[in-house]
């Protein structure tokens, strides 16, 4: 295939989870490699972007953050519209942030208005694994993985936005499964172009 004809892919990723779990910090670590212990409830932009290469494809990730509205569950339809992947985040040291994952998951599926909710890609991040050397941890990895299995095999990463641990890996997975989801929507068109090129080959006769 001619590379110049390939479209650059824009993927919309939204990050959900309770206030304070580290959503903004994870994004800042991923996009700017920066971390601050200072708590900033509001940020200026609705989203940040990062360009990455996934296999042979250039992908622009557009990652949507909240400006603290998650506290009131009032994110609005524009936030959810057209999402290609939803990243759920909880704090491994605060059990309540794990319990509310069900609400965030359900709310996303309700608001997102996607064609096939069951096939929609999520990724779960258990953040702040660095805190107290793991001694103040309240949610085990097994518990988190069981939840992921019960919700249709959601990929799971344990992360630290502070140390930059697993952040890159997690977002690469986000990009990959968002791309896969996109392929499923395109399958009909790919089917046609495959059929056409086969017909062309037959017309031109045997290549040997
Ligand atoms: P948000 O409300 O989900 O966007 O959470 P923030 O990103 O604003 O983070 C809330 C607080 O937790 C801030 O004080 C961060 O510095 C801190 N924080 C975020 N991620 C981590 C982490 O991985 N480890 C530690 N120790 N602190 C973190
Ligand atoms: Mg935030």
């Amino acid at each position: 295939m001619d590379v110049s004809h390939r479209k650059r892919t824009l993927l919309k990723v939204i990050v959900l989870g309770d206030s304070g779990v580290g959503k903004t910090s994870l994004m800042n670590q991923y996009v700017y490699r920066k971390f601050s212990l200072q708590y900033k409830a509001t940020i200026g932009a609705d989203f940040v972007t990062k360009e990455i290469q996934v296999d042979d494809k250039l992908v622009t990730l557009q990652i949507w953050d909240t400006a603290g509205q998650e506290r009131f569950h009032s994110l609005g339809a524009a936030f959810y519209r057209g999402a290609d992947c939803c990243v759920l985040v909880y704090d491994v040291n605060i059990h309540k942030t794990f319990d509310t994952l069900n609400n965030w998951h359900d709310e996303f599926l309700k608001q997102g208005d996607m064609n096939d909710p069951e096939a929609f890609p999520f990724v779960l991040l258990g953040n702040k694994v660095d805190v107290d050397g793991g001694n103040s941890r309240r949610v085990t990895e097994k518990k988190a993985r069981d939840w992921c299995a019960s919700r249709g095999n959601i990929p799971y990463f344990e992360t630290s936005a502070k140390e930059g641990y697993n952040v890159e890996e997690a977002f690469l997975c986000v990009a990959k499964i968002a791309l896969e989801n996109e392929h499923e929507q395109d399958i009909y068109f790919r089917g046609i172009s495959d059929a056409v090129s086969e017909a062309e080959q037959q017309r031109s006769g045997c290549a040997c």
Side-chain angles (χ1 to χ4, degrees), residues 61-127:
L61 285 185
Q62 185 188 69
I63 311 170
W64 285 58
D65 195 8
T66 71
Q69 312 99 308
E70 75 273 28
R71 257 170 279 185
F72 315 106
H73 281 252
S74 62
L75 293 163
F79 185 76
Y80 295 98
R81 194 177 300 129
D84 295 297
C85 181
C86 175
V87 180
L88 297 171
V89 186
Y90 77 99
D91 177 345
V92 300
N93 308 288
I94 302 180
H95 208 288
K96 194 186 137 282
T97 66
F98 178 76
D99 297 332
T100 51
L101 287 176
N102 283 322
N103 301 352
W104 288 116
H105 188 262
D106 293 349
E107 175 157 321
F108 178 81
L109 290 179
K110 210 166 55 200
Q111 299 272 347
D113 190 29
M114 62 279 310
N115 299 335
D116 185 2
E118 274 174 32
F120 191 85
F122 287 88
V123 172
L124 178 65
L125 309 185
N127 190 41

Side-chain angles (χ1 to χ4, degrees), residues 45-181:
D46 291 320
F47 59 78
V48 291
T49 58
K50 178 157 169 142
E51 241 177 43
I52 56 165
Q53 176 122 8
V54 182
D55 303 326
D56 62 344
K57 235 183 168 169
L58 252 194
V59 175
T60 304
L61 285 185
Q62 185 188 69
I63 311 170
W64 285 58
D65 195 8
T66 71
Q69 312 99 308
E70 75 273 28
R71 257 170 279 185
F72 315 106
H73 281 252
S74 62
L75 293 163
F79 185 76
Y80 295 98
R81 194 177 300 129
D84 295 297
C85 181
C86 175
V87 180
L88 297 171
V89 186
Y90 77 99
D91 177 345
V92 300
N93 308 288
I94 302 180
H95 208 288
K96 194 186 137 282
T97 66
F98 178 76
D99 297 332
T100 51
L101 287 176
N102 283 322
N103 301 352
W104 288 116
H105 188 262
D106 293 349
E107 175 157 321
F108 178 81
L109 290 179
K110 210 166 55 200
Q111 299 272 347
D113 190 29
M114 62 279 310
N115 299 335
D116 185 2
E118 274 174 32
F120 191 85
F122 287 88
V123 172
L124 178 65
L125 309 185
N127 190 41
K128 303 199 191 183
V129 293
D130 63 278
V131 172
D132 202 13
N135 288 321
S136 52
R137 188 170 179 139
R138 294 286 172 273
V139 182
T140 63
E141 181 171 351
K142 177 169 188 317
K143 196 164 186 181
R145 290 197 183 278
D146 287 349
W147 186 84
C148 287
S150 76
R151 292 284 177 150
N153 284 327
I154 294 175
Y156 177 61
F157 293 85
E158 306 230 303
T159 58
S160 164
K162 186 180 177 187
E163 319 254 295
Y165 172 70
N166 247 354
V167 176
E168 191 96 18
E169 291 82 351
F171 279 98
L172 182 60
C173 174
V174 167
K176 280 188 175 166
I177 67 168
L179 270 175
E180 277 168 26
N181 186 51

Side-chain angles (χ1 to χ4, degrees), residues 20-25 35-37 39 127-128 130 160-162:
V21 296
K23 300 182 297 297
T24 303
S25 301
F35 177 78
S36 160
L37 270 173
Y39 186 83
N127 190 41
K128 303 199 191 183
D130 63 278
S160 164
K162 186 180 177 187

